Amino acid sequence: MAREELTRLTGNGNGECGKDDCPNVYRTASGSIVVQGDVSTAFQPPAGEGLVEIPEDVLREAVRALGR
């Protein structure tokens, strides 16, 4: 899936990162969520999965963008 196929929910000019390429939340066409953030080593996830760490304000912005 290409980034152009995702709807960006966060980082659209507000907040610490503005429009830069930093922690963000995206929605796919099927309605699932894709999260971009710093790689976390908190624990070893199962094969095929990964952990990312994003600031709380990014999640709050995503919830507002979803209208919830």
Side-chain angles (χ1 to χ4, degrees), residues 1-58:
M1 171 180 318
R3 184 184 291 193
E4 294 77 28
E5 299 175 65
L6 302 172
T7 300
R8 189 172 178 171
L9 300 176
T10 59
N12 293 311
N14 301 321
E16 185 177 316
C17 292
K19 294 184 180 184
D20 291 340
D21 197 24
C22 57
N24 280 295
V25 178
Y26 302 87
R27 182 174 44 201
T28 67
S30 66
S32 62
I33 301 295
V34 175
V35 178
Q36 173 188 351
D38 295 327
V39 175
S40 174
T41 57
F43 64 89
Q44 183 64 42
E49 295 183 7
L51 301 175
V52 297
E53 186 174 334
I54 61 172
E56 181 180 336
D57 64 315
V58 172

